[in-house]
Amino acid sequence: MAMTRRRLLSAAAMTAVAPALGGRAWGAPLPREADIVVIGAGAAGIAAARRIQAANRRVIVVEAASQIGGRCLTDSTSFDVPFDRGARWMHNPETNPMVRLARNAGLAISAASLGQKIRIGQRNARAGETEEFLAALVRANRAIDDASRGKADVSCASVLPKNLGDWAGTAEFVLGANATGKDLRDVSVMDKARAQDRNAAIGCRQGLGVLIARLSEQVPLALSTPASHIIWGGRDVAVATPAGKIAARAAVVTVSSNVLAAGNIKFTPEIPKRQLDAAARLSLGSYDRIALQLSGSPLGLARDDVIIEQSNSTRTALLSAHIGGSSLCVIDVAGSFGRDLSGEGEQAMVAFAVEWLTKLFGSDVAAAVKKTSATRWNASPFALGAMSVAPPGGQPSRKILTEPIGNLFLAGEATHETLWGTIDGAWESGERAAEAALRKIGALGEPATAPSRVPKQRRRGTQGKFN
Ligand SMILES: Cc1cc2nc3c(=O)[nH]c(=O)nc-3n(C[C@H](O)[C@H](O)[C@H](O)COP(=O)(O)OP(=O)(O)OC[C@H]3O[C@@H](n4cnc5c(N)ncnc54)[C@H](O)[C@@H]3O)c2cc1C
């Protein structure tokens, strides 16, 4: 009989204590055996576990945090609408499996509003100015694509056209920090150009963390159970956790590249230097959200308006106003500026958000702030950052991370060559690693030579969107 977490939970007759941000607790003793152990209950881990279950093999997911979702984490209680602390948008709806899964799970999904505006000081950019900016973005993207076909990989910043004028800083923010968590000087043209176009943005009203938790409902998993030591070889694997050891035939490891590179999990034998170096090269950028509950309408903005500013400094941000028509406004900070700011702590982040909004919308903002919350992903011990992006020369590292290491298989957004930094990239990587692990234990035949989900689409300009 297939083991599900529900069965284990009911067998244990335990009292489940739901942590503040969702998720469920494990009440039964940790199983001592599985066919495959999955490390991490983010998008990649849940996808891997579901794929292993679909092949009728025993799986157990061990998760260090007290909730499911990893970098998809929804705070459903602090504000009058859910606050997605991590991933918020699903892109490319025609091919993104998460959109269908959300729909099938009965969650409400809808496209982002088209209300995107640029502030120039305290006024909105005029139509002609917005056109100029969008043209600058197209030229910048084209220069990056062209450079990616060169022999040597270089930084995106080094190939930007020199004549972007007043829009240079804004283009750098939109294509660099805001898109990848790193400034363009730290981003490889090859990695950026290989990234699949992230067109359209589809949100989930209940939150993407809720989606991942919903998709995990039939998956046996243990929360607050970090893998501390993985002993692996050609045939068996043993995963040590504070709740005991699990013996299996293979493991899928989905922890972030920063967690892997930090050595927070001990491996015996050690993971080959080739893969460890690859994880270190694909270090995570910085991306945080500062949530402000504002009374009234001090910004004069409409439901779901998205605002950036014309700026020639990295000290800038992106605002999502009145999310779902609520009083919740979220200011995203990223890249080197976001990293420094989040290092100063939540109070400094909120102070910046208020100062920035005041600069753009006037002095009524401060008095309207009723409640605040800010993420600090770099300091979050089980993530250690936001999303991976390769520096010049680092793009081949993604493929290196997909190579099997005995009976260990790495997954997670960093291992996806075109959808890195996304929830669907993480999901696909989990399925891929699960299939490789199933093949290793003889539970699946050799793969048909399947192409990846969609061939790389050329960037078609910005289609009037900047986030
Ligand atoms: C602020 C922010 C905004 C984002 N916005 C978007 C967006 O709009 N759209 C989009 O598509 N993507 C977005 N992303 C990226 C997206 O969230 C990630 O690509 C994706 O969630 C990564 O999933 P994963 O499974 O690879 O890794 P993770 O979600 O990090 O999962 C790894 C899991 O491993 C666990 N773990 C760590 N150490 C251990 C251990 N020792 N033992 C057991 N478990 C362990 C972690 O707790 C975690 O749950 C955003 C990310 C951030 C941070």
Side-chain angles (χ1 to χ4, degrees):
M1 181 173 72
M3 172 185 68
T4 70
R5 186 156 42 117
R6 281 221 175 114
R7 282 190 194 115
L8 279 158
L9 286 174
S10 58
M14 45 81 68
T15 313
V17 181
L21 294 175
R24 286 139 290 170
W26 176 271
L30 197 67
R32 294 288 165 235
E33 274 181 23
D35 292 312
I36 301 174
V37 185
V38 174
I39 320 297
I46 299 306
R50 286 168 54 114
R51 183 67 190 86
I52 294 160
Q53 284 183 308
N56 288 319
R57 290 299 187 274
R58 293 169 306 157
V59 63
I60 171 81
V61 181
V62 293
E63 166 56 53
S66 58
Q67 74 279 315
I68 295 160
R71 285 171 274 167
C72 294
L73 180 59
T74 307
D75 173 356
S76 305
T77 56
S78 297
F79 300 99
D80 49 359
V81 288
F83 167 37
D84 266 327
R85 296 176 66 86
R88 177 159 178 236
W89 300 115
M90 298 174 282
H91 301 286
N92 308 313
E94 50 310 329
T95 53
N96 190 326
M98 309 315 296
V99 173
R100 176 182 46 81
L101 288 163
R103 232 186 247 121
N104 292 349
L107 300 180
I109 58 170
S110 56
S113 107
L114 294 174
Q116 304 196 338
K117 299 189 180 87
I118 306 172
R119 295 293 274 185
I120 301 181
Q122 289 208 354
R123 68 169 175 88
N124 289 339
R126 299 183 188 95
E129 290 167 325
T130 303
E131 284 305 313
E132 260 178 39
F133 169 62
L134 294 175
L137 273 191
V138 171
R139 284 193 293 133
N141 264 329
R142 196 176 298 139
I144 292 169
D145 275 354
D146 289 348
S148 74
R149 288 189 285 274
K151 267 206 178 114
D153 193 7
V154 292
S155 82
C156 292
S158 70
V159 302
L160 285 186
K162 300 288 174 250
N163 56 354
L164 298 178
D166 290 342
W167 295 110
T170 315
E172 284 219 28
F173 171 70
V174 167
L175 298 177
N178 187 251
T180 69
K182 287 189 187 169
D183 301 345
L184 284 182
R185 62 168 188 250
D186 299 323
V187 178
S188 136
V189 290
M190 290 193 179
D191 209 31
K192 183 92 171 134
R194 283 219 66 190
Q196 194 185 312
D197 215 5
R198 280 136 211 214
N199 67 26
I202 307 292
C204 171
R205 197 176 65 216
Q206 292 85 352
L208 291 184
V210 170
L211 170 61
I212 299 299
R214 191 70 72 82
L215 295 174
S216 76
E217 275 175 0
Q218 297 300 319
V219 171
L221 69 82
L223 296 176
S224 305
T225 307
S228 51
H229 187 184
I230 300 178
I231 301 151
W232 58 282
R235 292 180 57 81
D236 300 302
V237 61
V239 177
T241 79
K245 204 181 255 185
I246 307 165
R249 296 174 61 200
V252 174
V253 180
T254 74
V255 302
S256 75
S257 50
N258 275 16
V259 169
L260 193 64
N264 294 359
I265 303 176
K266 181 172 171 357
F267 289 88
T268 305
E270 277 181 15
I271 293 214
K273 187 170 167 347
R274 176 176 166 81
Q275 272 84 8
L276 269 188
D277 287 350
R281 269 196 300 272
L282 294 169
S283 65
L284 304 183
S286 182
Y287 199 110
D288 281 300
R289 304 196 194 279
I290 307 163
L292 305 181
Q293 184 180 314
L294 297 182
S295 65
S297 189
L299 310 176
L301 294 173
R303 171 189 180 130
D304 293 322
D305 272 351
V306 173
I307 310 290
I308 55 169
E309 65 167 334
Q310 185 184 64
S311 168
N312 262 327
S313 147
T314 53
R315 196 180 162 79
T316 189
L318 176 141
L319 162 68
S320 302
H322 300 295
I323 291 178
S326 72
S327 56
L328 177 64
C329 294
V330 176
I331 293 91
D332 294 349
V333 289
S336 59
F337 164 64
R339 183 179 297 282
D340 291 346
L341 182 67
S342 73
E344 290 174 35
E346 208 168 319
Q347 220 181 333
M349 296 171 82
V350 170
F352 163 77
V354 171
E355 170 207 309
W356 187 70
L357 291 178
T358 302
K359 180 183 83 176
L360 298 180
F361 297 96
S363 56
D364 295 344
V365 176
V369 176
K370 296 299 166 216
K371 199 178 197 183
T372 66
S373 174
T375 67
R376 296 181 65 224
W377 284 101
N378 304 325
S380 171
F382 305 127
L384 297 176
M387 62 278 278
S388 68
V389 63
Q395 195 280 333
S397 299
R398 300 199 185 277
K399 202 168 178 68
I400 292 174
L401 289 184
T402 65
E403 294 167 1
I405 313 168
N407 50 358
L408 292 185
F409 299 86
L410 303 182
E413 57 85 14
T415 70
H416 203 294
E417 287 209 77
T418 57
L419 289 169
W420 46 266
T422 68
I423 175 173
D424 43 323
W427 189 268
E428 280 195 357
S429 78
E431 291 187 331
R432 173 203 41 79
E435 285 178 8
L438 286 165
R439 232 170 269 125
K440 174 80 182 175
I441 67 170
L444 265 192
E446 281 310 306
T449 41
S452 64
R453 188 174 87 201
V454 218
K456 160 81 172 93
Q457 297 164 2
R458 304 252 10 111
R459 254 185 233 111
R460 287 153 296 177
T462 59
Q463 302 167 319
K465 285 190 79 273
F466 49 73
N467 80 325

